[in-house]
């Protein structure tokens, strides 16, 4: 289950989308989220879907892979679809099952909302699938740069994010080890009533916390020894370079927004 | 010995100065390290080795005595300057890996010291080549072995081109293979660049490679001398909870059993050599 889940995962590759500047991609997705709300009729939703599929195609992510990986999201999507289907009134009555009446408007809304959901999930997944977490962090740091003026600790936040990302696998390994160690001592986390299971998690969490604090302390020492003293006067090893493609992608998005605006009713 | 690069003068340090009952972690310690030397610091658990390392780069300040490094007296003002000339590698390979990938980690100290980007690229390559990890630029830490991670940590320390490299039990969490890799790397580095090294270790086999050995016992300096001199006092070391290297222990036991052993067998290789000549001349 966890292996198949692609939400938030990065798949290295060499498509046009992979090569875009992370700043461009982040801006793109945020603008796209706003633009999605322009759509309000069949044509505009169709264009929206088409545009998203084009983006998937350009990113060279296999559609099957994307759909398979987002299964849990589809369950949620189906849920909202039926919610709209059953509870929105208006238009002609299509059919009724028992005490639920399904109206034309309900079906329309259900489909529209589902498409909206789908394109949003697809676009954000494309962002995370084609951009390494560290690039996303870099992008966010630079984009938020102006907020340093109002004393937002942008550099510190970005560093925190990249260190957390860096330690996820380490702590996962550790959790696995502790779990095995506790199982070897007869602890049983996988079964029993909820209350028992929650209780069994405690001896897992405590050693994990203890070790995480130890790691944090060691890391702080190692950073200090290597001359870390905040963002001031620091240079960056990772350079972002904005190319023509990046400008083009954003222009394309603006054009797309214009198109939607033209066809909306 | 050329000029001294680091020196302690009658340094005493206590973690809890308020409490008289707590013994100082380091007491009245004096020693110095000359440019280009390889010094090993050995001692049992809690003998004050890590404390000494922390006093060296201003993570801790002594209550008494002075610490001098790179010709400067350690103080709040000289601290960053001294740190930029001193590389340090710690015990746990995972807990000192800051960057997301190998190259990011090596660049970390350079970034902190405001080295321009073009220069950084050159130095990252160069230091990774020195530890033979140049092929792993984009690898993430959890895909590396412990020995590889420690070599990356050494590269990270080398990137600033330090004058002194301090290894605080850098090999103690590694398997024999990783340990050999790291020790070999240091030997080659010393041959190529003449870097000054201080290695803090439990492992007397590692200490045997050094030019000079300092033995710590409960915060005091117990012995100081060449590996030969120090190891010849076998009993005393064992009493302090330090194990002689296997080859040396073996040679000692053979001697007791009546096999004539000439000189001090230091390495496994020399021991084998000796046994072989003994056997064929019998
Ligand atoms: N943060 C601390 N607070 C209080 N006491 C400490 C602290 N760190 C170390 N000590 C004490 O100082 C003494 C020296 O510790 P130090 O870590 O220098 O030993 P060490 O020789 O490095 O040991 P090891 O071989 O286990 O690494 C020990 O008695 C230890 O308990
Ligand atoms: Mg120690």
């Amino acid at each position: 289950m966890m292996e198949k889940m692609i939400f938030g995962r990065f798949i290295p590759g060499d498509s046009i989308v992979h090569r875009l500047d992370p700043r461009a991609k982040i801006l793109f997705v945020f603008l796209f989220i706003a633009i999605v709300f322009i759509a309000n009729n069949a044509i505009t939703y169709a264009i929206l879907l088409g545009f998203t599929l084009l983006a998937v195609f350009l990113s060279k992510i296999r559609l099957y892979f994307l759909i398979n990986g987002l299964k849990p999201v589809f369950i949620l999507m189906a849920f909202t679809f039926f919610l709209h289907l059953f509870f929105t009134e208006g238009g002609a009555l299509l059919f009724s099952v028992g005490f639920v009446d399904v109206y034309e408007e309900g079906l329309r809304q259900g489909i529209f909302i589902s498409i909206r959901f789908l394109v949003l999930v697809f676009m954000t997944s494309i962002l995370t699938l084609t951009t390494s977490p560290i690039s996303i962090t870099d992008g966010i740091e630079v984009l938020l740069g102006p907020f340093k003026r109002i004393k937002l600790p942008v550099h510190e936040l970005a560093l925190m994010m990249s260190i957390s990302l860096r330690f996820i696998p380490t702590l996962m390994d550790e959790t696995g080890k502790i779990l095995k160690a506790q199982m070897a001592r007869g602890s049983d986390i996988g079964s029993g009533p909820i209350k028992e299971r929650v209780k069994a998690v405690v001896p897992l969490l405590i050693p994990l916390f203890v070790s995480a604090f130890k790691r944090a302390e060691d890391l702080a020492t190692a950073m200090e020894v290597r001359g870390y003293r905040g963002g001031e006067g620091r240079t960056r090893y990772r350079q972002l370079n904005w190319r023509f493609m990046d400008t083009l992608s954003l222009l394309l998005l603006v054009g797309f927004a214009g198109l939607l605006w033209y066809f909306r009713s | 010995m050329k000029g001294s690069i680091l020196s302690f003068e009658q340094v005493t340090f206590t973690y809890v100065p308020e409490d008289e009952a707590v013994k100082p972690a380091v007491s009245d310690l004096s020693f110095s390290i000359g440019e280009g030397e390889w010094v090993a610091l050995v001692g049992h658990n809690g003998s004050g080795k890590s404390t000494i390392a922390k006093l060296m780069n201003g993570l801790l300040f002594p209550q008494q005595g002075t610490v001098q490094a790179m010709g400067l007296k350690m103080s709040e003002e000289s601290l960053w300057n001294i740190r930029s000339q001193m590389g340090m590698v710690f015990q746990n390979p995972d807990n000192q890996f800051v960057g997301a990938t190998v190259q990011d980690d090596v660049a970390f100290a350079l970034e902190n010291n405001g080295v321009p980007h073009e220069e950084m690229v050159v130095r990252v390559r160069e230091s990774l080549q020195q530890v033979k990890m140049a092929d792993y630029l984009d690898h993430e830490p959890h895909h590396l072995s412990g020995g590889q991670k420690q070599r990356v940590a050494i590269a990270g320390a080398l990137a600033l081109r330090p004058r002194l490299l301090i290894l605080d039990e850098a090999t103690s969490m590694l398997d024999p293979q990783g340990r050999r890799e790291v020790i070999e790397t240091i030997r080659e580095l010393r041959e190529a660049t003449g870097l000054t090294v201080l290695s803090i270790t439990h492992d007397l086999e590692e200490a045997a490679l050094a030019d000079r050995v300092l033995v710590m016992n409960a915060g005091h300096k117990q012995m100081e001398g060449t590996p030969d001199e120090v190891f010849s006092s076998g009993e005393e070391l064992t009493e302090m909870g330090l194990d002689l290297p296997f080859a040396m222990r073996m040679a000692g036991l053979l001697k007791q059993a009546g096999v004539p052993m000439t000189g001090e067998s230091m390495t496994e290789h020399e021991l084998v050599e000796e046994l072989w000549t003994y056997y064929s001349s019998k």
Side-chain angles (χ1 to χ4, degrees):
Chain A
M1 165 88 188
M2 285 300 268
E3 286 77 49
K4 272 204 199 138
M5 187 67 183
I6 60 171
F7 213 69
R9 245 176 66 186
F10 166 58
I11 311 284
D14 191 34
S15 70
I16 303 176
V17 182
H18 278 89
R19 271 176 277 141
L20 285 177
D21 189 294
R23 285 169 296 179
K25 281 190 266 191
I26 295 168
L27 281 177
F28 190 98
V29 168
F30 273 91
L31 285 174
F32 183 80
I33 291 171
I35 287 169
V36 162
F37 290 93
I38 296 176
N40 67 351
N41 58 18
I43 300 180
T44 45
Y45 271 108
I47 298 175
L48 205 58
L49 198 60
F51 187 76
T52 307
L53 291 177
L54 181 71
V56 175
F57 174 73
L58 286 177
S59 69
K60 290 190 184 158
I61 298 168
R62 293 204 322 279
L63 196 60
Y64 169 76
F65 175 74
L66 199 58
I67 291 171
N68 209 28
L70 292 173
K71 259 183 200 153
V73 179
F74 286 116
I75 297 170
L76 201 65
M77 214 169 88
F79 182 70
T80 38
F81 173 74
F82 286 113
L83 218 60
H84 277 276
L85 191 64
F86 296 146
F87 295 110
T88 311
E89 292 180 15
L93 179 70
L94 292 180
F95 57 89
S96 49
V97 192
F99 58 90
V100 260
D101 301 327
V102 175
Y103 294 95
E104 197 181 343
E105 194 58 27
L107 185 64
R108 248 166 63 90
Q109 281 303 325
I111 292 175
F112 286 175
I113 297 292
S114 302
I115 292 179
R116 194 184 281 173
F117 211 96
L118 187 82
V119 296
L120 287 177
V121 172
F122 269 26
M123 272 304 182
T124 41
S125 298
I126 292 174
L127 170 68
T128 55
L129 282 171
T130 63
T131 324
S132 68
I134 190 73
S135 302
I136 294 185
T137 312
D138 285 342
I140 291 175
E141 180 173 358
V142 179
L143 287 176
L144 291 183
F147 292 99
K148 271 184 208 153
R149 290 235 192 90
I150 56 163
K151 299 267 187 297
L152 190 72
V154 176
H155 161 76
E156 285 74 11
L157 285 174
L159 189 75
M160 263 164 57
M161 227 171 103
S162 76
I163 289 178
S164 323
L165 286 168
R166 133 90 190 84
F167 271 94
I168 287 172
T170 312
L171 292 178
M172 292 275 249
D173 273 1
E174 182 127 346
T175 315
K177 266 185 215 150
I178 299 172
L179 195 66
K180 277 190 196 131
Q182 303 289 29
M183 266 154 55
R185 289 167 177 75
S187 138
D188 186 7
I189 292 176
S191 61
I194 289 285
K195 208 174 146 219
E196 292 300 307
R197 277 201 241 177
V198 171
K199 262 194 201 155
V201 168
V202 174
L204 188 74
L205 282 182
I206 289 174
L208 194 63
F209 268 97
V210 170
S211 111
F213 276 106
K214 171 84 182 108
R215 285 181 194 281
E217 199 184 327
D218 281 1
L219 193 71
T221 310
M223 284 169 67
E224 199 178 337
V225 163
R226 290 209 250 163
Y228 181 74
R229 56 200 127 148
E232 205 109 328
R234 241 177 146 249
T235 43
R236 298 177 62 94
Y237 180 65
R238 292 184 163 270
Q239 300 278 313
L240 300 174
N241 48 2
W242 188 278
R243 274 177 298 233
F244 176 65
M245 271 308 289
D246 300 301
T247 316
L248 193 69
S249 70
L250 290 182
L251 284 178
L252 198 73
L253 188 66
V254 172
F256 168 71
L259 196 71
L260 279 188
W261 194 264
Y262 180 77
F263 282 109
R264 99 193 278 259
S265 51
Chain B
M1 194 198 293
K2 283 183 262 171
S4 135
I5 195 167
L6 181 112
S7 66
F8 273 45
E9 255 168 68
Q10 299 177 320
V11 170
T12 299
F13 176 83
T14 320
Y15 279 100
V16 252
E18 315 83 48
D19 193 346
E20 293 283 319
V22 177
K23 283 206 201 111
V26 174
S27 49
D28 198 26
L29 176 69
S30 304
F31 71 92
S32 79
I33 299 177
E35 184 107 54
E37 254 194 312
W38 179 347
V39 177
L41 188 63
V42 300
H44 59 86
N45 286 112
S47 59
K49 304 180 303 287
S50 296
T51 310
I52 295 173
K54 286 182 180 150
L55 288 164
M56 282 179 187
N57 57 18
L59 287 168
L60 298 172
F61 284 93
Q63 278 92 12
Q64 282 163 42
T66 48
V67 176
Q68 280 216 341
M70 319 296 157
L72 299 167
K73 185 175 177 298
M74 179 66 76
S75 68
E76 294 284 349
E77 290 80 50
S78 62
L79 187 84
W80 295 105
N81 186 352
I82 291 174
R83 276 185 195 163
S84 71
Q85 300 181 53
M86 212 182 251
M88 197 157 172
V89 178
F90 297 93
Q91 182 172 27
N92 191 319
D94 275 313
N95 299 0
Q96 53 186 315
F97 208 110
V98 186
T101 65
V102 167
Q103 53 177 334
D104 288 305
D105 191 61
V106 176
F108 184 70
L110 299 173
E111 292 181 315
N112 292 335
N113 283 279
V115 176
H117 181 256
E118 297 74 41
E119 176 74 13
M120 269 200 259
V121 175
V122 176
R123 290 222 209 161
V124 167
R125 291 280 148 91
E126 189 187 275
S127 2
L128 281 171
Q129 254 151 20
Q130 284 180 313
V131 299
K132 302 215 177 63
M133 287 292 291
D135 296 337
Y136 295 83
L137 276 182
D138 283 316
H139 280 239
E140 289 170 13
H142 59 279
H143 294 308
L144 299 175
S145 71
Q148 289 175 325
K149 273 183 256 196
Q150 287 305 65
R151 273 148 68 200
V152 172
I154 292 174
L158 291 177
L160 269 180
R161 306 209 175 117
R163 289 168 65 192
L164 171 64
L165 180 65
I166 302 169
L167 306 151
D168 187 356
E169 309 214 24
T171 59
S172 67
M173 284 180 72
L174 305 178
D175 53 12
Q177 154 93 24
R179 191 173 296 199
R180 245 185 321 238
E181 274 171 28
V182 170
I183 293 175
E184 193 50 35
T185 305
I186 293 165
R187 259 168 40 97
E188 282 171 17
L189 260 173
R190 293 226 346 125
E191 259 165 44
T193 63
L195 182 71
T196 315
V197 174
L198 174 78
S199 58
I200 298 176
T201 176
H202 262 120
D203 181 11
L204 293 190
E205 215 142 341
E206 190 181 322
L209 295 166
D211 300 325
R212 195 150 55 93
V213 181
L214 294 175
V215 185
M216 293 297 297
N217 186 18
H220 294 276
K221 183 169 77 181
Q222 185 89 9
M223 276 188 258
E224 180 174 1
T226 63
D228 273 321
E229 286 165 14
V230 169
F231 294 155
S232 59
S233 60
E235 284 286 293
E236 214 176 322
L237 289 177
T238 331
E239 269 164 35
M240 278 187 278
L242 291 167
D243 275 332
L244 284 179
F246 169 75
M248 294 187 58
R249 237 177 344 175
M250 187 75 197
L253 291 171
L254 282 169
K255 232 183 226 171
Q256 274 180 19
V259 181
M261 289 264 134
T262 57
E264 308 292 325
S265 290
M266 295 300 289
T267 62
E268 218 168 287
H269 181 75
E270 281 166 13
L271 177 71
V272 171
E273 206 57 21
E274 186 124 332
L275 284 176
W276 170 80
T277 31
Y278 166 72
Y279 182 77
S280 55
S281 65
K282 200 165 73 172

